[in-house]
Amino acid sequence: MINSEQLNLEYSNSYGLIFEDRFYVQRENDLSCINLNKVKKIKLVKGRTVKINFITFFISCLMICFSLLLEQNQMIFKGLFYLGALGFFLSSFLLKKYNYTIIVVTIDYQPIKISVDVDFKNDAKEIVAKVNKKLIKKEIK
């Protein structure tokens, strides 16, 4: 037997479901329900994680400091430490890691932040686009 709520399903993918009056998204391995009547705006925000960049920069600084402590007769080791430090220094600027967050702004301007796993980035983008279309249609009516 088919439930009447299942008939209102308009879109679904691996990240969430969109019904006629609400949508569900994955939040910490659970589906969170958000009522469309309480949503003013929704968007997917891309941010950069710089933790790994700071760690590699710090390692390069430590390697340079350690190589300064080595004696003059250990020039091979000094050179290897300088090369390693250069590699870590360059990688601190070249490594790029991003995180994605869905921000839902309610009618009373209270933001709801939902972290998105990088694997579900495209599915989350589709959910956000479909919900935005529904919100635009709701505003026109």
Side-chain angles (χ1 to χ4, degrees), residues 12-25:
S12 70
N13 63 16
S14 62
Y15 190 71
L17 307 165
I18 299 177
F19 288 89
E20 190 174 306
D21 59 341
R22 66 199 179 282
F23 66 98
Y24 294 86
V25 291

Side-chain angles (χ1 to χ4, degrees), residues 22-37:
R22 66 199 179 282
F23 66 98
Y24 294 86
V25 291
Q26 283 189 13
R27 188 180 209 178
E28 299 165 0
N29 296 328
D30 193 23
L31 285 176
S32 294
C33 178
I34 300 173
N35 193 345
L36 281 173
N37 295 331

Side-chain angles (χ1 to χ4, degrees), residues 56-70 78 80-89:
T56 55
F57 183 77
F58 183 69
I59 290 172
S60 71
C61 291
L62 284 177
M63 289 179 79
I64 289 175
C65 291
F66 186 72
S67 67
L68 293 175
L69 296 175
L70 292 175
K78 271 189 164 185
L80 290 175
F81 272 103
Y82 283 135
L83 283 175
L86 179 66
F88 277 107
F89 182 75

